Amino acid sequence: MINVSVNGEVKELETNLNVSQMIEALEYKVKGFAVAVNTTFVPIAKYDETIIKEGDTIDILAPVQGG
Amino acid sequence: MTKKLESNNTWQIGGKTLSSRLLIGSALYPSPANMEDAIRISGAQIVTVSLRRQAAGEGRGNPFWDIIKSLGIEVLPNTAGSHSAKEAITTAQMAREVFGTNWVKLEVIGDQYNLQPDPFETVKAAEVLIKEGFEVFPYTTDDLVVAKRLADVGCKIIMPWGSMIGSGKGLMNPDNLTAIRKQFPDLQLVVDAGIGKPSHAAQAMELGYDGVLLNSAIALAQDPVKMADAFRLAVEAGRLGYEAGVMKEREFASPSTPTVGTPFWHQFN
């Protein structure tokens, strides 16, 4: 198991998950978000090849009001 | 026969042809329904949105985003909250995927107190984003040289502030805004931030600005929907006034009523 930060909260994940598997493990069911790992954007096309590692910082962002 | 005159100019921004010159924000409204009504009545064809951390889904969807999509107008995602070029670039890339647009309102804040944009990081981010195919709407101060640097890196749109975000103080430096307008007659210029009253928006339009972007002035009004209508009219009035050509100021009084034939003429000694 590894520890990562997801949207500022520490989460425990299995080792060697890719981004698609991580999203499933974290139970994100509603689509319409984008993912950054260690402040670098990960496009959907790269979800499967991007492996989450110990200590990674993950941001999952969705639409909100803005000015 | 009199005929109602309307601004006959549609305008182009970011590759789109629009008729409304009011760009509206989607934040701070009393309720989602109020936001929807205000945006609709404003006539705005561009609405700003943002991205924030999302908790793991409970299957509820995103009601806010559903409303925005139902409006059928252009979406302009911002990079609000970014304090470096790197953060802004990442946010823009994420927004492009989520919102399906290459438009981005580039905001890189340099000071937490007055939310003044960081000109150095803004220019740096703009250069990268333009190379990546974004249509960058940079939020900047009313500094002419910063505007030049943004134009140098390829910005076709520049959005100087009227005054601090959310302050409602109006146009702090109309002369600076005029200087930018004169220097860049071919760029799309939008006053962004600091607008508080419809008259402020009209003033920006009278200066020859192509558009006005605001949020708090409508959302924080006692009646946001009515205020949205007021801003619609103010932006139209200001634009029409600009197109009509404002009279030159004069140093001294000049009577508008003819003096020839004045009755009861008094000869002063």
Side-chain angles (χ1 to χ4, degrees), chain A residues 7-8 26-28 30 32-36 39-41 43-44 47 59-67, chain B residues 25-27 48 50-57 59 61-62 64 78 86 90 93-94 97-99 105 215:
Chain A
N7 286 347
L26 293 171
E27 298 188 331
Y28 274 82
V30 181
F33 53 78
V35 176
T39 71
T40 297
F41 170 54
I44 292 170
Y47 277 8
D59 282 280
I60 301 175
L61 308 187
V64 296
Q65 300 87 337
Chain B
S26 57
T48 54
S50 197
L51 284 176
R52 285 290 179 266
R53 286 170 165 174
Q54 184 190 35
N62 187 326
F64 161 74
N78 70 27
K86 163 74 174 163
T90 299
Q93 292 166 333
M94 296 173 86
E97 184 177 271
V98 169
F99 294 108
K105 177 185 166 184
N215 191 158

Side-chain angles (χ1 to χ4, degrees), chain B residues 2 6 12 14 28 32 40 55 77 81 90 95 101 106 121 131 152 169 186 197 200 206 220 243 251 261 269:
Chain B
T2 56
E6 291 175 348
Q12 278 82 38
L28 303 173
R40 285 191 194 280
T90 299
T101 176
L106 176 60
E121 293 295 298
K131 283 179 184 159
D152 288 346
K169 288 177 178 290
D186 299 326
K197 306 172 193 171
H200 297 154
E206 287 164 3
L220 300 184
E243 290 174 10
E251 291 299 319
N269 295 318

Side-chain angles (χ1 to χ4, degrees), chain B residues 16 28 56 102 109 111 115 120 138 141 192 194 250 255 266:
Chain B
K16 303 281 181 184
L28 303 173
N102 68 337
I109 298 303
D111 183 85
L115 300 180
F120 310 100
T141 58
D192 174 15
R250 293 186 284 211
H266 299 281

Side-chain angles (χ1 to χ4, degrees), chain B residues 111-241:
Chain B
D111 183 85
Q112 204 51 42
Y113 174 69
N114 68 357
L115 300 180
Q116 182 165 334
D118 181 326
F120 310 100
E121 293 295 298
T122 301
V123 171
K124 201 190 296 180
E127 186 168 19
V128 171
L129 291 170
I130 286 168
K131 283 179 184 159
E132 291 187 8
F134 283 88
E135 191 71 62
V136 177
F137 294 56
Y139 163 60
T140 179
T141 58
D142 51 27
D143 187 295
L144 177 63
V145 178
V146 177
K148 276 187 179 179
R149 295 289 176 267
L150 289 166
D152 288 346
V153 299
C155 290
K156 304 287 184 234
I157 302 155
I158 297 177
M159 303 206 298
W161 69 359
S163 50
M164 294 177 286
I165 292 175
S167 70
K169 288 177 178 290
L171 309 187
M172 285 188 302
N173 293 304
D175 290 348
N176 287 10
L177 294 172
T178 298
I180 294 172
R181 177 71 285 176
K182 284 188 175 162
Q183 189 80 21
F184 301 106
D186 299 326
L187 296 188
Q188 299 302 327
L189 300 181
V190 175
V191 170
D192 174 15
I195 300 290
K197 306 172 193 171
S199 56
H200 297 154
Q203 186 189 7
M205 298 308 296
E206 287 164 3
L207 295 179
Y209 271 66
D210 297 288
V212 174
L213 196 166
L214 58 100
N215 191 158
S216 303
I218 291 176
L220 300 184
Q222 289 184 23
D223 183 340
V225 177
K226 188 175 276 190
M227 190 59 87
D229 206 20
F231 270 102
R232 178 183 62 77
L233 293 166
V235 169
E236 277 182 25
R239 179 64 193 181
L240 203 54

